[in-house]
Amino acid sequence: MKRAPRVILSGGGTGGHIYPAIAIANEIKARYADAEILFVGAEDKMEMQKVPQAGYKIEGLWISGIQRKLTIDNLAFPFKLISSLWKSKKIIKQFKPDVVIGTGGFASGAVVKVAASMSIPTLIQEQNSFPGITNKLLGKKANRVCVAYDNLERFFPKEKIVKTGNPVRNDLLNVGANREEGIEVFGLDSDRPILLVLGGSLGARRINQLIEKNIEELRNKNIQIIWQCGKLYYEEYKKYNSEDVIVTAFVEKMNLVYGAADYVISRAGASSISELALVGKPVIFIPSPNVAEDHQTKNALSIVKEGGAILLKEMELEEKFLPTFNALVENSDLQRELGAKFLSLALPNATSDIVNQVEAIMKN
Ligand SMILES: CC(=O)N[C@H]1[C@@H](OP(=O)(O)OP(=O)(O)OC[C@H]2O[C@@H](n3ccc(=O)[nH]c3=O)[C@H](O)[C@@H]2O)O[C@H](CO)[C@@H](O)[C@@H]1O
């Protein structure tokens, strides 16, 4: 590419779709300082705050997914779809992108579809081991499909698939260096172990209930906790804030909490897994059972079957959580083995590999 590219990125609804898009944008900017970048997201969703915070412009579409039950939102869906396709076309005509990149979520559906129909090069990035509906539909139209797991030929044309891994923010590439700062920022004691609890970008009700139920048991073991409970649940759980329990709705500086942690309990969203692989610490995954095709369990299993992490299903928590957690805490060899194996599964060049693909489709 000689001149700086004009790029539209679209993805949102949850952090799992937004952060990969931001990481890709940052890599494009690192290669082409004068690249013109525009994000397109869904009005009222998280991306409308997170993208400007990352220093990029964003336009919002009036769009949302279809709910399983009959709701007013569903009745409005056809109108939203038409409106978002129309607005996407307007944005594309005005901005004149050289390439359009979709990272999942409903807004990216409209933009990538319109771009492909206007013969603009398009790339989608699928974070999960089982694709969401938007990417499944877009796979037929996009020029490239960058994925993080094997066996996605069932859903996407084989010749378009490139396994790159999920983009991860640069500051998560060496979190070991952040350990002391992390411990200090949260006012924790560096001589006592730290458990990091992550509920994904929105927080996880069942994980919060689990921690609440076992909090005394954890304290008795001298364990300190950094507990990301989610914005929706913060009011309910903030009462547990104390010297050794840090409850937070959302962590802005993930590098600090990853750096500080000795072990992690986490949902199994795709980016969380990719980040935790780089972090290389022992993890117990508790996948959300409420996501399409149980994809979080499939995501986690790809690590667990290699011996890189432990998996507990929500329905077995009552019986298995404490014995499993205790066995991990008491066995430093197991902690080291899990961390090392997980680290060996990391794909640290994902963002750069994806941008190589972006460059390749722009040249064609
Ligand atoms: C309930 C739901 O629909 N979850 C989906 C959603 O998860 P979710 O949005 O939770 O996505 P991921 O686990 O993939 O990523 C979470 C991202 O948010 C960041 N983060 C999280 C918490 C926090 O306090 N601060 C912070 O910055 C993490 O560092 C990570 O970058 O998208 C993922 C990627 O398509 C899917 O795999 C998940 O199944």
Side-chain angles (χ1 to χ4, degrees):
M1 273 292 307
K2 291 188 198 79
R3 68 179 177 84
R6 302 178 66 78
V7 183
I8 288 185
L9 283 133
S10 181
T14 69
H17 296 312
I18 302 166
Y19 293 120
I22 292 175
I24 295 170
N26 289 345
E27 174 68 17
I28 293 172
K29 271 283 184 194
R31 291 191 195 188
Y32 306 97
D34 46 0
E36 288 290 333
I37 292 184
L38 177 67
F39 277 72
V40 179
E43 274 173 11
D44 303 333
K45 294 287 183 181
M46 232 171 132
E47 56 268 28
M48 302 311 286
Q49 283 96 50
K50 299 292 170 197
V51 168
Q53 274 170 16
Y56 295 102
K57 275 186 276 182
I58 183 161
E59 298 256 6
L61 303 178
W62 186 49
I63 186 77
S64 61
I66 295 225
Q67 317 282 316
R68 291 207 178 141
K69 38 188 197 289
L70 193 64
T71 63
I72 301 276
D73 264 0
N74 274 0
L75 296 177
F77 183 75
F79 302 102
K80 290 184 177 179
L81 190 62
I82 292 167
S83 145
S84 63
L85 289 168
W86 178 81
K87 191 164 176 193
S88 297
K89 192 161 189 174
K90 193 170 148 214
I91 292 170
I92 290 175
K93 278 188 166 166
Q94 271 171 1
F95 187 78
K96 298 187 179 58
D98 297 303
V99 64
V100 173
I101 301 166
T103 57
F106 291 97
S108 71
V111 193
V112 176
K113 183 181 180 314
V114 171
S117 71
M118 294 167 77
S119 301
I120 295 165
T122 53
L123 177 148
I124 57 171
Q125 196 259 325
E126 174 53 56
Q127 294 96 35
N128 292 290
S129 59
F130 195 100
I133 181 158
T134 307
N135 274 356
K136 247 196 284 184
L137 292 170
L138 291 176
K140 296 186 189 75
K141 312 212 175 278
N143 298 86
R144 280 286 198 291
V145 182
C146 292
V147 302
Y149 291 95
D150 293 325
N151 302 322
L152 283 155
E153 296 80 8
R154 288 177 294 153
F155 309 104
F156 300 120
K158 196 170 173 205
E159 68 285 0
K160 295 183 179 179
I161 297 179
V162 184
K163 186 174 171 192
T164 53
N166 287 320
V168 166
R169 287 166 283 179
N170 272 342
D171 63 358
L172 300 181
L173 292 175
N174 182 20
V175 299
N178 301 122
R179 183 176 160 80
E180 267 150 42
E181 190 186 345
I183 291 174
E184 202 182 302
V185 163
F186 292 103
L188 296 173
D189 176 352
S190 59
D191 295 328
R192 291 167 56 200
I194 297 172
L195 165 66
L196 171 63
V197 179
L198 296 174
S201 61
L202 306 174
R205 181 197 305 275
R206 187 66 189 88
I207 294 184
N208 291 338
Q209 290 167 343
L210 177 79
I211 300 305
E212 180 173 45
K213 184 167 175 224
N214 292 291
I215 202 152
E216 283 316 314
E217 186 84 27
L218 295 169
R219 276 197 176 128
N220 291 341
K221 288 190 195 318
N222 208 22
I223 291 173
Q224 308 170 96
I225 310 174
I226 301 176
W227 177 2
Q228 180 252 333
C229 66
K231 201 169 139 192
L232 267 178
Y233 308 104
Y234 185 69
E235 283 307 310
E236 195 178 336
Y237 291 100
K238 66 179 185 194
K239 60 178 183 249
Y240 291 104
N241 255 315
S242 63
E243 217 170 74
D244 46 14
V245 179
I246 311 296
V247 183
T248 167
F250 188 86
V251 179
E252 293 296 339
K253 295 198 156 190
M254 288 300 288
N255 57 334
L256 299 187
V257 294
Y258 284 142
D262 292 291
Y263 8 79
V264 184
I265 292 175
S266 177
R267 276 298 195 218
S271 293
S272 299
I273 294 187
S274 300
E275 293 170 5
L276 286 162
L278 290 165
V279 168
K281 294 192 174 166
V283 179
I284 298 179
F285 283 119
I286 304 175
S288 166
N290 313 314
V291 296
E293 311 292 338
D294 200 16
H295 67 244
Q296 289 203 1
T297 303
K298 294 177 181 129
N299 291 346
L301 275 174
S302 68
I303 308 300
V304 172
K305 71 177 178 357
E306 302 291 335
I310 296 169
L311 172 75
L312 286 178
K313 297 198 170 186
E314 280 198 353
M315 61 187 186
E316 53 190 26
L317 287 175
E318 206 60 47
E319 181 195 346
K320 289 197 182 163
F321 173 69
L322 273 181
T324 309
F325 185 73
N326 290 343
L328 176 67
V329 169
E330 284 154 19
N331 187 341
S332 51
D333 285 343
L334 176 63
Q335 293 170 27
R336 259 193 306 278
E337 277 163 31
L338 287 169
K341 187 69 214 180
F342 202 174
L343 189 63
S344 76
L345 300 172
L347 293 168
N349 302 321
T351 319
S352 168
D353 290 348
I354 291 167
V355 176
N356 291 345
Q357 295 301 321
V358 172
E359 290 182 332
I361 58 171
M362 282 195 292
K363 277 178 196 151
N364 284 335

